[in-house]
Amino acid sequence: MEHEERQEEREREIRAVTDQLEERGEHMEQRGDELEQQVDNVREEFRRKQQSEDVPGAQEPNPIEEESDSPPPEADITPGDQDE
């Protein structure tokens, strides 16, 4: 008799822990879905900003400008080139 009571108590404990784990799993899944939606929203917002010239720095860099290691022509001032 005592053995059966202990077994039933243990089964109730296991069910309670199982319920808690299932609840945590559902919460984590919901939070994951929310985070995924936020990431999608941020990506979409950035894509819109890339299309707009009103947001400097959001556009992809020009590959020709990116490859050049030399300064722009207006930065090339040599002593003999200036009018005195």
Side-chain angles (χ1 to χ4, degrees):
M1 180 85 158
E2 188 177 314
H3 175 70
E4 290 175 9
E5 289 174 5
R6 282 189 289 171
Q7 184 174 355
E8 288 175 6
E9 176 64 26
R10 184 69 181 137
E11 288 175 1
R12 281 193 295 273
E13 290 173 0
I14 290 172
R15 276 190 233 108
V17 169
T18 301
D19 291 344
Q20 289 175 347
L21 290 173
E22 287 177 353
E23 196 173 299
R24 284 179 61 190
E26 290 171 3
H27 180 266
M28 291 174 71
E29 186 176 348
Q30 180 182 5
R31 184 67 181 131
D33 291 343
E34 291 169 0
L35 288 172
E36 187 176 335
Q37 183 63 44
Q38 288 177 353
V39 168
D40 289 343
N41 291 343
V42 169
R43 281 189 181 132
E44 182 58 34
E45 180 182 357
F46 185 70
R47 286 185 189 119
R48 284 193 308 269
K49 288 180 178 181
Q50 281 181 313
Q51 302 299 319
S52 172
E53 295 196 12
D54 294 337
V55 184
Q59 295 79 25
E60 292 187 28
N62 184 339
I64 295 173
E65 291 175 7
E66 194 174 87
E67 290 177 11
S68 176
D69 289 335
S70 61
E74 60 272 9
D76 186 21
I77 300 175
T78 55
D81 290 345
Q82 294 180 347
D83 292 333
E84 294 181 37

